[in-house]
Amino acid sequence: MADQGYGGELEAERGYVAGLYGRLDVKRDEAKRAYQKALGDDGGTPMERDSRVRALAKQVRRLDVADSGLCFGRLDELEGGRRYVGRIGLFDEEKDYEPALLDWRAPAARPFYTATGANPEGMRGRRQFHSRGRTVVEFTDEVLGRPDGGAAGDAALLAAVNAPRGEGMRDIVATIQAEQDEIIRLDHAGVLVIEGGPGTGKTVVALHRVAYLMYTQRERMERHGVLVVGPNPAFLHHIGRVLPSLGESDVVFMTTGDLVPGLHTTAEDTDQAARAKGSPAILDVLAAAVADRQRLPDEPIPVVLRDVTLRIDAPTAEWARDEARATGLPHNEARGTFTEIITYVLTERAIGRIGKGWLSREDRDAWEELRADLLAELADDEAFTSAIDALWPILTPETLLGPLLSSPERLRAAGADPALLRADGTAWTVSDVPLLDELVDLLGRDKAADKAAEDAAARERHAEAEYAKGVMEIIKTERMDMMDDEDHLLAEDLIYAEDLAGRFEESDTRDLVERASADRDWTYRHVVVDEAQELSEMDWRVLMRRCPNRSFTVVGDLAQRRSAAGATSWGAMLERYVPGRWAYRSLTVNYRTPAEIMAVAAAVLAEFAPDVAPPESVRASGVPPWSRQVDGDLLAAVAAFTAAEADLPGTSVVIGPPEVPGAVAASETKGLEYDAVLVVEPERILAGGPRGAAELYVALTRATQRLGVLHRAELPTALAGLTAV
C-alpha cells in the first residue's frame, strides 16, 4: 500500500493523526468558549437561552468523547485519494474545508466496513490503526480488489474479541463487520427486528444504528430523543457507555419496570399471573374494574339543603352514571357530568319544596337566584361531597389497581383470573407497569388536582418576580449612592425587574433525559427494545404509546425467551401494531463465544429448539470447557474458582441457584458477557420450569474465554461435550 518502509509509514500516520487531534483541540476550545459565553448571555427569552446552552453543551460532550480513538483507519482509493475514518468528521480549513477525517457514519466511510477483495467498492486498500491514547502504535493493511483480499477487519476484530472484558460494553465502531453495517445503515422507517443468537453483537449493532440515525436525522431525533429498553438494571449499566462514547447523549435508558415515572420495580409475578396481565384480555378486566367503582347507592343517601332533606336514590344515580358514561370521557373527567346530573336533580327538588306556594317557574330571576344559593350550599356540604366520592370517586392508577389485586370480590366482579390475587395489592411487579400505564388513559386526569398544581406554580412565579423586583431596587439604590451623576449609571442599572424575573419564568433547566424520564406523556422519535422476546403484548402497548411514529429497533432471540407472556413469533406480536411496516434481519456470526463453548451450548439448544441453528463462532480459544462432579463441599469448589479467576485479567461470574453465595440467576446475566463463567448445578437450572433449558443456554453462552460447570447430580446428557476434570 505504501512505497516507504513500515517504520516510515507509521511515523507519517502518527503525524497525520496528531494533526487531527490538533484540529479537535481547537474545535473543542472554541465550543467551550462559546458555551461559557452562552451561560452569561442575557439575550433572548429564557427558553432561547436554555436551547443555546444545551446545544453547545452537547457539542462539547461530542468533542470530548471523540478524544478516545479519534481516528481508527484509512481507505486508499483506486484513483489515489485517501479517506481517513474516525469517530467524528473534521475538515481542513486550509483546503476549502475538504474532509480531513470522515465520520464513521458518513456514506463515504461505508467501504471501510463493507469493501472486500471480491467487491472493493472503488478502493484498493484498507488500513486499520491500533492506538494507545493519542498515539498510533501499529497498523495493519489489507489489499482490496482481488479475491484473496480477505474479510474486512479480521485482525482488528480478533484482537477486540480476544481482549479481556472490562466494566461495560465497548463500542465496535472500529471493527463493524459487513453484515452488521448493512443493518446499522438500513433505510427502514418502521420496526426493524434484529434476531441473533448469543454473541452475535445484536445489542451493540442496535446501539450503533441509533448513533447512525441520530447522525443522519439529527434535527428530527434530538428534540425528543431515543428510548432504550433493556431487561434489567445490570444490562443497562453494561451498555450505558456505548452511545455516549459515540457522542450521543439524548438517550433514556429504562427497563420495562421503569416505564411509569416514579416507579422502579424488578419483582416478577408467577407465570400464570404474568401471562394473564400480559394478554390484551386484561383490558376488559381493567375497564370492568373502573366501571365497578362507578356505583349506585344501596340505600338513598340523605342530603340536607335549607332544612329540606333530599336523597340521592338509585334511579337518580343510575341516570347520572349513564349520562357520564355516554360522554366517552375517562373516568375522572366524566365525574363532572355525573356530579352535574346529581346536582341538577337535587336543586330541582329543593326548589320545588322550598318555593312551593310562592315561587313559579315564570319568576326566572328568583328561581335562578335560589338555584345559585343552593349550588353554593351543595359545594360546601360535606355529606354531598362524601356521597359523590363514594359513588364516583376520583381514582389514580394505584388506587384502582392496588385494591383490585388484593380483593377476591373485586377481581371476580371484573372477570379477572383468580391468579392475580395477592395479599399486598401495591407490591408492584414488572407485569403491573403496563396496567398502571393503561389506567392513566382509562381514568384521565384529576382536573381539580391539576388546577391546584397550576395555581401553586403561578404563585411561585409571582413570588420569584417580586423577589427579582426587590433585588433590582436594591441594586439601583446602591448604584445611585456610588455615582456622582445619574448619567454615569451603567447599562445594567436600566434592566427592568421583569427582565430579571424572566430568568425564572418557564425556564426548565433539566436536560432531555431528565425531562423525558419524568414525563409519562413524553414521546420519543425512536425506541430500541433489547431482549424483546420477553415483552408481553401489554408491554408493547406502552411502548407504542411512547413512539407514535412507530420507529423501533427490536433486538432479540426467540430461543432465549423465558417469560410466559413473551413473544413466540415476531409477526404475531408486531402485526397488530405495525401491519406491513416491520422488517426482519438476522445475525449469524458469533463474535463472543469460542467454538469450544458454543459446541456445548448448541447441544442444549438442539434439545429445546431443534429448528434453530446456533450462530457460528469466528474463533476458537484453545481452552476446553470443563465439568467437575462435587461430592463434598460445593461452596469450597466455587470459592476455588473465584480465587483462581481473581489472579487473571478480565471478569468472571458464578451462575446458579440462589443458595450459592455470590451466584446470580441466568436471567440476570442476559445480554452480559464475562471472560470466565462458572455454572453451578445445571441440572437444577434445567428443572427450574418450562423454560429451564433456555435459561441454561443463556448461562453457557456468557463466557468469552473460559467455562466451567460444577454439578452434584449426574451431568445432563446435553452437556456431554464438557471435559471432565
Side-chain angles (χ1 to χ4, degrees):
M1 183 180 294
D3 295 331
Q4 55 183 307
Y6 179 86
E9 276 282 289
L10 180 59
E11 286 304 314
E13 298 294 22
R14 285 174 175 169
Y16 190 86
V17 172
L20 293 176
Y21 274 110
R23 287 188 173 89
L24 175 67
D25 291 340
V26 170
K27 287 180 65 68
R28 184 161 44 204
D29 289 343
E30 290 174 349
K32 287 182 177 179
R33 285 197 298 271
Y35 174 71
Q36 291 299 327
K37 181 180 178 182
L39 287 175
D41 187 1
D42 292 332
T45 66
M47 186 175 296
E48 290 170 342
R49 289 196 298 271
D50 288 345
S51 179
R52 286 198 302 273
V53 169
R54 287 172 179 159
L56 287 166
K58 289 176 187 175
Q59 184 179 355
V60 171
R61 286 197 296 270
R62 289 193 184 107
L63 294 172
D64 280 341
V65 299
D67 212 305
S68 176
L70 173 63
C71 176
F72 39 78
R74 93 179 192 210
L75 287 165
D76 288 0
E77 302 171 355
L78 287 174
E79 294 81 2
R82 292 178 177 179
R83 306 178 190 176
Y84 284 85
V85 180
R87 289 184 178 274
I88 64 171
L90 293 172
F91 297 92
D92 189 339
E93 294 84 352
E94 297 177 359
K95 297 182 179 180
D96 295 327
Y97 287 87
E98 290 182 2
L101 181 66
L102 286 173
D103 190 298
W104 67 275
R105 294 164 288 195
R110 184 169 189 176
F112 187 80
Y113 303 110
T114 59
T116 64
N119 182 23
E121 301 187 31
M123 302 296 138
R124 62 183 178 88
R126 171 173 39 230
R127 173 169 289 178
Q128 291 186 301
F129 298 150
H130 175 212
S131 299
R132 186 175 297 117
R134 290 189 165 200
T135 303
V136 178
V137 177
E138 60 183 1
F139 63 79
T140 56
D141 283 340
E142 297 172 73
V143 178
L144 302 173
R146 64 189 191 196
D148 61 346
D154 283 349
L157 172 66
L158 291 175
V161 297
N162 280 310
R165 265 50 188 173
E167 183 181 354
M169 178 179 283
R170 295 169 292 190
D171 66 62
I172 59 168
V173 65
T175 58
I176 293 170
Q177 301 302 290
E179 72 166 357
Q180 297 172 330
D181 186 79
E182 179 186 355
I183 294 172
I184 289 169
R185 299 174 193 264
L186 185 66
D187 183 15
H188 181 72
V191 176
L192 174 62
V193 176
I194 306 172
E195 184 163 31
T200 53
K202 52 188 179 292
T203 296
V204 74
V205 166
L207 296 176
H208 282 67
R209 175 169 169 77
V210 169
Y212 174 74
L213 292 175
M214 296 186 82
Y215 172 79
T216 57
Q217 305 174 29
R218 186 163 302 283
E219 185 175 350
R220 188 179 73 88
M221 301 282 279
E222 275 194 334
R223 288 190 180 183
H224 290 258
V226 171
L227 172 64
V228 175
V229 178
N232 54 58
F235 173 83
L236 295 180
H237 177 74
H238 178 63
I239 69 172
R241 295 180 178 180
V242 174
L243 284 168
S245 76
L246 298 172
E248 305 301 344
S249 57
D250 291 331
V251 182
V252 177
F253 293 89
M254 290 185 179
T255 69
T256 53
D258 304 328
L259 288 171
V260 170
L263 177 61
H264 306 283
T265 180
T266 59
E268 295 188 1
D269 277 300
T270 64
D271 283 353
Q272 186 175 353
R275 191 179 297 110
K277 291 178 181 178
S279 167
I282 198 70
L283 295 172
D284 293 332
V285 172
L286 296 178
V290 174
D292 185 53
R293 302 294 292 271
Q294 300 163 354
R295 309 188 69 83
L296 304 179
D298 296 326
E299 298 291 336
I301 301 173
V303 177
V304 179
L305 289 177
R306 295 286 182 91
D307 298 326
V308 175
T309 300
L310 306 168
R311 286 174 174 78
I312 304 174
D313 52 28
T316 298
E318 185 174 20
W319 175 33
R321 185 178 68 178
D322 291 346
E323 290 293 326
R325 288 176 176 175
T327 64
L329 294 171
H331 169 85
N332 290 333
E333 296 171 31
R335 173 179 156 121
T337 300
F338 179 83
T339 304
E340 185 179 310
I341 297 296
I342 298 291
T343 300
Y344 170 78
V345 171
L346 292 183
T347 55
E348 283 290 307
R349 291 174 181 175
I351 291 171
R353 294 185 188 181
I354 295 170
K356 187 176 181 180
W358 66 270
L359 182 63
S360 67
R361 286 193 177 272
E362 284 72 24
D363 190 354
R364 302 304 303 173
D365 290 342
W367 189 278
E368 292 304 326
E369 184 178 348
L370 180 56
R371 178 185 292 280
D373 291 342
L374 291 172
L375 288 174
E377 191 174 341
L378 274 179
D380 294 332
D381 190 272
E382 292 185 4
F384 176 73
T385 301
S386 297
I388 297 297
D389 287 342
L391 300 177
W392 198 288
I394 291 289
L395 294 171
T396 66
E398 293 79 7
T399 58
L400 185 285
L401 189 60
L404 172 68
L405 296 177
S406 60
S407 168
E409 295 77 20
R410 282 185 167 141
L411 286 172
R412 188 163 47 250
D417 189 326
L420 300 187
L421 181 66
R422 64 186 182 217
D424 182 358
T426 58
W428 305 120
T429 67
V430 173
S431 300
D432 291 327
V433 172
L435 277 57
L436 291 166
D437 191 74
E438 193 75 35
L439 285 168
V440 172
D441 290 339
L442 279 176
L443 297 175
R445 306 294 185 186
D446 180 355
K447 291 188 175 180
D450 289 347
K451 179 66 165 55
E454 290 175 5
D455 290 345
R459 288 193 297 272
E460 184 175 355
R461 287 195 297 271
H462 177 72
E464 289 170 344
E466 289 298 309
Y467 169 78
K469 183 178 179 181
V471 170
M472 286 306 304
E473 289 298 326
I474 293 172
I475 292 175
K476 282 188 175 183
T477 300
E478 291 178 347
R479 293 286 189 188
M480 290 292 293
D481 291 341
M482 295 172 61
M483 296 295 178
D484 295 328
D485 189 335
E486 288 188 14
D487 293 337
H488 293 153
L489 287 175
L490 298 176
E492 57 263 33
D493 295 320
L494 302 178
I495 298 175
Y496 292 102
E498 289 79 4
D499 292 333
L500 183 59
R503 299 186 184 185
F504 300 103
E505 294 175 3
E506 308 300 334
S507 180
D508 190 343
T509 59
R510 297 174 300 169
D511 62 21
L512 182 143
V513 172
E514 293 172 314
R515 288 179 288 130
S517 300
D519 186 354
R520 183 262 177 184
D521 296 322
W522 189 276
T523 58
Y524 298 89
R525 283 293 180 262
H526 191 77
V527 176
V528 175
V529 186
D530 210 318
E531 299 294 343
Q533 73 276 357
E534 307 297 344
L535 271 62
S536 70
E537 292 187 69
M538 289 298 294
D539 290 325
W540 280 109
R541 281 179 64 88
V542 178
L543 294 179
M544 293 295 169
R545 278 194 286 269
R546 301 295 192 272
C547 188
N549 65 329
R550 304 292 196 262
S551 178
F552 282 75
T553 299
V554 175
V555 178
D557 180 9
L558 294 178
Q560 296 187 57
R561 177 181 63 86
R562 62 181 291 272
S563 169
T568 55
S569 87
W570 300 117
M573 191 64 80
L574 295 174
E575 275 294 321
R576 172 193 307 270
Y577 303 107
V578 283
R581 286 193 61 226
W582 66 280
Y584 176 88
R585 295 293 186 273
S586 64
L587 293 169
T588 59
V589 179
N590 189 330
Y591 301 100
R592 177 177 68 213
T593 316
E596 298 92 338
I597 297 176
M598 198 62 223
V600 175
V604 175
L605 178 67
E607 288 205 350
F608 74 94
D611 297 332
V612 178
E616 182 179 353
S617 297
V618 299
R619 67 191 173 101
S621 67
V623 179
W626 55 267
S627 67
R628 179 182 303 133
Q629 188 166 16
V630 180
D631 296 326
D633 190 347
L634 180 66
L635 299 185
V638 173
F641 166 85
T642 304
E645 286 297 328
D647 295 330
L648 297 175
T651 60
S652 63
V653 69
V654 178
I655 302 175
E659 60 268 22
V660 177
V664 299
S667 59
E668 295 178 23
T669 66
K670 297 195 79 169
L672 307 180
E673 56 183 33
Y674 306 87
D675 290 271
V677 172
L678 180 68
V679 179
V680 181
E681 297 197 286
E683 63 276 12
R684 293 185 58 184
I685 297 176
L686 278 172
R691 301 295 297 173
E695 290 279 272
L696 181 58
Y697 180 61
V698 170
L700 295 172
T701 53
R702 299 305 96 194
T704 66
Q705 302 291 344
R706 303 174 294 280
L707 171 68
V709 174
L710 297 178
H711 58 105
R712 283 172 168 160
E714 288 298 315
L715 196 67
T717 56
L719 300 181
L722 293 168
T723 300
V725 298

